[in-house]
Amino acid sequence: TPSAEPARPGLLGRLFGRAQAEEPRRVLDDAMLESLEELLIQADMGVDTAVRVTANIAEGRFGRKISTRELRGALAEEVARIMAPVARPLPLYPQKPQVVLVVGVNGSGKTTTIGKLASQFKAAGKQVVIAAGDTFRAAAVEQLQIWGNRAGVPVLTAPEGSDPASLAFDALTRARAEGADLLMIDTAGRLQNRADLMEELAKIVRVIRKVDPTAPHNTLLVLDATTGQNAITQVEIFRKIADVSGLVMTKLDGTAKGGVLVALADRFGLPIHAIGVGEQIDDLAPFDPEEFARALVG
Ligand code: GDP
């Protein structure tokens, strides 16, 4: 009789179809390993990572009977092991203000993430200032102001089309004079002209270093986790045009498409400082490797 239970979400749900009874155990043979490997690749984990994870699972288990539960546990353990080293909250330095440059393509969730971070730091008793450095998108500036209001944090703006570096300079000067703890600088996300964006970001860095030679203290790349392999390309591009120090992965709510995080962690080792889990101000969570692994595996 068909089970009334819905299919389990997550990877193994896809491998085994409907939520299966944990028995019968099946022999972990080449065919099963091949299906597993293919599944991991389809889930955006990347070929190298998928091959290695599969090999690790086969080790000591090959040719033996394994239950769905055992396989699920083994896979979750492998994923959590890869993810554990990159799970690191945004480090706070003694420098005041700590300057956080926020980069990423338009639509990745930069504005939302800045608002959420501002709100979290404010709640932790930090004085925060935001600079609306995407001066070419009036709508982006407006959105950031809305988020600033929500978080109760001032948003410094400049006239449309003006030089973002000059705004960043003014913002840092002012944040410093006011004794702020944290300055977050939004930046443009137009990848259409990579050379321009690179020059724009380099100029921001050059100019803020005139105020504080140690700035920026973090360069956060915001990535939309639902874009799959695209996220890998974006890390490659942004690492060429900025000194990316860490990631925020957005839109991890309601998606089993987080496989690309495993590929990212394995390939770049960049810290994942936080994950976006919704559109509201409190929907930013620390990255928990074990919880992530369990959700991904299903
Ligand atoms: P920006 O262009 O990079 O500044 O992106 P926005 O911050 O404007 O976000 C683009 C869209 O993604 C908006 O509709 C946001 O509400 C949505 N968004 C951002 N972060 C998340 C998230 O963690 N989860 C979900 N579900 N939506 C998000």
Side-chain angles (χ1 to χ4, degrees):
T1 48
S3 160
E5 268 189 86
R8 279 182 87 110
L11 292 176
L12 288 189
R14 272 184 260 165
L15 185 58
F16 293 111
R18 287 185 170 278
Q20 288 209 344
E22 301 299 344
E23 303 297 335
R25 290 145 61 99
R26 306 189 343 182
V27 174
L28 187 63
D29 55 10
D30 280 324
M32 191 166 166
L33 286 170
E34 209 170 294
S35 310
L36 180 63
E37 192 177 276
E38 199 181 306
L39 192 75
L40 301 182
I41 293 169
Q42 277 169 13
D44 289 321
M45 256 189 219
V47 175
D48 294 349
T49 314
V51 167
R52 213 180 62 243
V53 164
T54 308
N56 287 350
I57 285 175
E59 211 179 304
R61 296 186 186 90
F62 186 77
R64 304 209 326 231
K65 283 193 168 177
I66 188 167
S67 70
T68 311
R69 192 214 315 255
E70 283 162 335
L71 184 56
R72 186 174 287 135
L75 183 55
E77 208 174 287
E78 286 298 324
V79 169
R81 206 209 320 263
I82 294 173
M83 302 314 287
V86 301
R88 273 178 276 157
L90 186 70
L92 285 180
Y93 302 111
Q95 285 97 333
K96 269 175 85 162
Q98 176 165 338
V99 180
V100 179
L101 200 61
V102 184
V103 303
V105 297
N106 293 338
S108 62
K110 255 184 318 176
T111 309
T112 311
T113 299
I114 291 172
K116 291 171 176 176
L117 281 172
S119 167
Q120 281 192 358
F121 283 111
K122 180 103 195 289
K126 304 288 178 195
Q127 195 185 329
V128 183
V129 175
I130 295 171
D134 189 356
T135 57
F136 288 85
R137 271 202 313 165
V141 174
E142 254 168 56
Q143 268 308 110
L144 205 52
Q145 280 173 315
I146 292 171
W147 277 103
N149 284 342
R150 280 185 196 140
V153 163
V155 177
L156 306 185
T157 62
E160 196 176 342
S162 62
D163 183 5
S166 147
L167 170 68
F169 181 88
D170 291 346
L172 180 51
T173 307
R174 186 171 143 189
R176 185 181 241 189
E178 290 177 358
D181 298 292
L182 196 70
L183 168 65
M184 277 188 279
I185 304 174
D186 187 22
T187 62
R190 301 177 306 273
L191 271 186
Q192 294 82 342
N193 193 333
R194 224 175 276 181
D196 277 359
L197 185 57
M198 174 146 64
E199 177 46 36
E200 187 170 314
L201 294 175
K203 189 171 174 194
I204 291 174
V205 169
R206 224 162 41 232
V207 161
I208 58 177
R209 283 190 178 152
K210 291 188 204 292
V211 184
D212 177 355
T214 67
H217 305 98
N218 312 89
T219 300
L220 275 191
L221 173 59
V222 177
L223 292 173
D224 177 344
T226 66
T227 62
Q229 292 293 310
N230 211 325
I232 296 185
T233 314
Q234 285 176 26
V235 175
E236 280 169 347
I237 292 171
F238 274 96
R239 287 220 313 179
K240 282 187 197 137
I241 66 179
D243 191 11
V244 176
S245 62
L247 308 175
V248 173
M249 304 297 309
T250 66
K251 310 186 198 181
L252 269 172
D253 45 308
T255 172
K257 296 191 81 183
V260 71
L261 269 72
V262 185
L264 287 170
D266 209 23
R267 188 137 158 199
F268 302 107
L270 285 164
I272 299 176
H273 293 313
I275 56 170
V277 293
E279 298 187 83
Q280 305 302 314
I281 199 155
D282 291 327
D283 293 333
L284 188 76
F287 179 67
D288 178 335
E290 273 159 30
E291 196 184 313
F292 168 81
R294 275 196 304 272
L296 183 70
V297 171

